Amino acid sequence: MKKLLLIFSLLFFVFTAESTVFGKTFVTIGTGGVTGVYYPTGGAISRMVNKKSDYGIKATVESTCGSVYNINAVLTGELEFGVAQSDRQYQAYNGLAEWSQRGPQKDLRAVFSIYPESITLIVSERSGVKSVADLKGKRVNVGNPGSGQLQNSKDVLAAYGMCLDSIHAEQVKAVEAPGLLQDEKIDAFLYTVGHPNGNIKEATSGRIKVRIVPINGPGIDDLLKKYPYYAKAVIPAKFYPNAVNEDDIESVGVKATFVTSKNLDDTVVYAITKEVFDNLESFKNLHPAYAALTKENMLQGLSVPIHQGALKYYKEAGLVQYINPELVQ
Ligand code: GLU
């Protein structure tokens, strides 16, 4: 029994930490719920890098609680890479929000940014919610602990003079929210996510009619002024033909970014960066949320230093000019 335990713990160590076995380096990418865009993004990146046998890298993907979880897991070394919202990257590095007790997380490193994500408010038509203000007293899923959207939900409510106590807040994973909405167990949910995605398709394709509600107005204008990481965003109505919306929906957005720890080996980070950037056109075909990606915009929206392995590639490829000089160390 003891022997078996030892074997299991060894295997656990071998397959969870960045490790080299028979000349192959194993890395794990932390993502989000399987119906979001982080999960297929982890899949897209790992498929690209695994195809090239000369890198000797075997990347695997893990479905996780989301941005905050991923950042913490790359910092402890439990995961090698994570997808994380740009606002959470900023907050972790500066010791804000979920990191206010633990302080600045200076080992966090950016690899690149990926696609835009929007704070998305989905409601059942029957709830009568037409604006964030109407959420008062409603049953709303604001996001699970560890997710990116939990803080975004709080910020949006605050912009309308509300807090979690103003609503019946649920904190379950986004993957469960469409089912709860369709079963009328909740009236609404907030999800910070790229578009189009399977989650909102699922939420809008059921028995009950569903609306995507705009996140705009004077309170939101103030929010945009107050926090540098938020930007205006638009959710195209055409992505969700079963929603009751006819017009595109105004919202607030951040960016999905790819992060790691300062302590991860340069050669691994270099290889992944090179593979994605050198084959950007094929990468873009892997998800419709990547449609507007360019090498230039994939170096924007970052707020922590660039990992040395990624920087080596950006220098070789002549891309450093697109990076905020403060992040080049
Ligand atoms: N933005 C969400 C989060 O940070 C995840 C979105 C997704 O999985 O696509 O938790």
Side-chain angles (χ1 to χ4, degrees):
M1 187 63 193
K2 264 194 189 149
K3 243 189 200 160
L4 213 62
L5 261 175
L6 187 73
I7 292 173
F8 274 129
S9 20
L10 273 174
L11 277 176
F12 180 77
F13 178 74
V14 165
F15 290 107
T16 51
E18 173 219 355
S19 52
T20 308
V21 181
F22 303 125
K24 255 207 181 326
T25 302
F26 290 83
V27 297
T28 306
I29 302 172
T31 60
V34 294
T35 54
V37 187
Y38 285 9
Y39 188 73
T41 296
I45 295 172
S46 56
R47 227 170 305 142
M48 291 199 90
V49 74
N50 292 345
K51 254 197 329 219
K52 285 275 173 69
S53 54
D54 40 331
Y55 287 140
I57 296 175
K58 169 84 179 123
T60 48
V61 173
E62 197 174 301
S63 169
T64 72
C65 289
S67 287
V68 173
Y69 178 93
N70 295 341
I71 288 174
N72 290 335
V74 299
L75 289 169
T76 59
E78 180 196 329
L79 294 173
E80 283 67 43
F81 293 98
V83 188
Q85 290 176 202
S86 48
D87 52 332
R88 307 319 229 129
Q89 198 189 102
Y90 178 91
Q91 290 162 345
Y93 196 71
N94 293 292
L96 306 168
E98 276 93 335
W99 296 274
S100 58
Q101 302 292 318
R102 268 175 292 161
Q105 303 297 308
K106 295 292 182 198
D107 283 353
L108 188 62
R109 290 294 177 271
V111 185
F112 44 77
S113 80
I114 324 174
Y115 57 87
E117 300 187 86
S118 339
I119 307 180
T120 310
L121 172 58
I122 323 287
V123 308
S124 69
E125 199 45 352
R126 195 179 287 178
S127 69
V129 174
K130 295 258 164 51
S131 148
V132 176
D134 301 331
L135 289 177
K136 205 167 232 160
K138 301 282 185 207
R139 299 161 303 171
V140 187
N141 186 39
V142 291
N144 56 295
S147 72
Q149 51 269 5
L150 184 52
Q151 184 62 41
N152 303 139
S153 301
K154 292 180 188 169
D155 289 346
V156 167
L157 290 172
Y160 276 79
M162 292 190 279
C163 64
L164 289 186
D165 288 342
S166 320
I167 57 174
H168 288 290
E170 299 289 347
Q171 298 196 7
V172 301
K173 287 186 176 180
V175 72
E176 293 170 34
L180 293 173
L181 189 72
Q182 281 297 330
D183 289 345
E184 302 187 74
K185 300 250 165 58
I186 54 173
D187 301 301
F189 71 91
L190 282 145
Y191 190 18
T192 305
V193 66
H195 296 281
N197 64 73
N199 185 291
I200 311 296
K201 281 189 185 153
E202 184 189 341
T204 52
S205 305
R207 179 181 56 86
I208 64 157
K209 293 241 167 293
V210 166
R211 172 187 299 276
I212 307 172
V213 172
I215 297 176
N216 55 13
I220 295 294
D221 292 340
D222 290 345
L223 177 97
L224 291 166
K225 278 188 214 131
K226 190 164 161 203
Y227 299 116
Y229 41 72
Y230 283 134
K232 282 194 174 178
V234 172
I235 303 166
K238 68 164 193 266
F239 285 153
Y240 306 107
N242 297 324
V244 299
N245 303 73
E246 278 171 9
D247 301 324
D248 291 350
I249 304 107
E250 281 187 24
S251 183
V252 172
V254 292
K255 274 185 109 177
T257 71
F258 199 52
V259 298
T260 188
S261 154
K262 181 184 169 201
N263 302 322
L264 190 66
D265 193 60
D266 287 3
T267 53
V268 178
V269 185
Y270 173 85
I272 290 195
T273 310
K274 181 172 169 56
E275 200 47 39
V276 172
F277 274 72
D278 279 357
N279 302 290
L280 188 56
E281 288 315 307
S282 350
F283 180 76
K284 281 169 68 172
N285 289 331
L286 298 177
H287 198 287
Y290 310 154
L293 296 192
T294 63
K295 290 184 181 176
E296 188 178 340
N297 66 28
M298 287 178 77
L299 294 171
Q300 276 146 23
L302 302 170
S303 44
V304 308
I306 306 290
H307 190 281
Q308 289 302 320
L311 193 58
K312 178 171 174 240
Y313 172 78
Y314 298 137
K315 281 183 179 158
E316 276 174 19
L319 295 170
V320 180
Q321 51 175 322
Y322 299 127
I323 307 174
N324 172 356
E326 284 172 25
L327 308 180
V328 178
Q329 297 182 349

